[in-house]
Amino acid sequence: MFKIPYIEPRAKALAVTCVFAFAGIMGWYFAESASPDPLLLLPLAIFYATLTVNTYFSVKLFASITPMHDRIHQLFDLLMVAAYFVLAYTFFSPQAFFLAALFLFIFALLKYILLLGIIPHLKLLKRKITIDLFGTLLCASVVAGAYMGFVTESAWALAIIFLLANIYLLFINPMYRLID
């Protein structure tokens, strides 16, 4: 059986963030030439950049408290990485981008629900689950809005609401800290 080597949480967070940032830059670069509306790329890029910053803090904290060799945790990490790469390479299609974001949040929500009872930080997990539930609902609303014909409005709603929520949850009332 393949064992994942231990990587210090800050180093792991930085590596993951850099990989996702590079994927996002490449996805945006190729979408910019293919997109019928280059201005629609801006809110998608804002959302993706905000998500990438958030990912650094999330990986840094949870890599330090989650068992490394938990198979369910590894499976959901792989699903989230796959969804992240799909997100990075769907800038050219807002509807596909919104669906990838929705699946990313669904996988995150399930991952943290399944960590209940595995890690001893119940208050932190409940807070993270609540936040991911709101992210899932936001993305589901954006998917619905886009399929009702409000693609641009949905993209901007996603970018603005997610950016404001992350300003609050990363800098004003930080969510990535041990609270119990």
Side-chain angles (χ1 to χ4, degrees):
M1 157 115 200
F2 176 73
K3 286 204 163 199
I4 298 173
Y6 175 77
I7 301 171
E8 195 272 328
R10 264 183 275 166
K12 182 177 182 179
L14 185 60
V16 166
T17 302
C18 287
V19 167
F20 290 155
F22 180 74
I25 290 166
M26 295 305 295
W28 178 82
Y29 174 77
F30 289 111
E32 187 177 37
S33 60
S35 177
D37 184 3
L39 291 178
L40 188 55
L41 290 175
L42 181 59
L44 302 182
I46 291 169
F47 172 81
Y48 190 92
T50 304
L51 182 66
T52 303
V53 169
N54 182 298
T55 297
Y56 171 80
F57 293 103
S58 180
V59 171
K60 186 174 107 175
L61 175 64
F62 283 98
S64 70
I65 62 173
T66 303
M68 275 183 43
H69 300 293
D70 181 82
R71 290 181 194 257
I72 297 294
H73 167 71
Q74 291 173 351
L75 172 64
F76 277 94
D77 279 350
L78 287 173
L79 289 171
M80 289 169 60
V81 166
Y84 221 118
F85 282 129
V86 170
L87 186 67
Y89 293 106
T90 55
F91 277 101
F92 66 90
S93 172
Q95 289 91 340
F97 185 92
F98 300 150
L99 280 172
L102 175 60
F103 277 99
L104 180 64
F105 273 97
I106 290 170
F107 295 147
L109 182 61
L110 292 172
K111 171 187 170 173
Y112 293 108
I113 288 171
L114 292 171
L115 282 174
L116 289 168
I118 305 249
I119 62 175
H121 303 284
L122 185 59
K123 286 182 184 177
L124 171 66
L125 281 174
K126 284 183 177 181
R127 186 164 190 230
K128 179 67 171 147
I129 289 166
T130 301
I131 290 166
D132 283 344
L133 179 60
F134 280 115
T136 302
L137 294 173
L138 173 62
C139 289
S141 300
V142 166
V143 167
Y147 281 98
M148 290 172 38
F150 301 102
V151 176
T152 302
E153 295 86 347
S154 295
W156 280 107
L158 178 65
I160 292 168
I161 293 168
F162 195 70
L163 177 63
L164 292 174
N166 272 272
I167 290 170
Y168 177 76
L169 293 168
L170 292 176
F171 304 109
I172 297 170
N173 186 9
M175 69 174 153
Y176 295 118
R177 59 188 169 85
L178 294 178
I179 55 178
D180 54 350

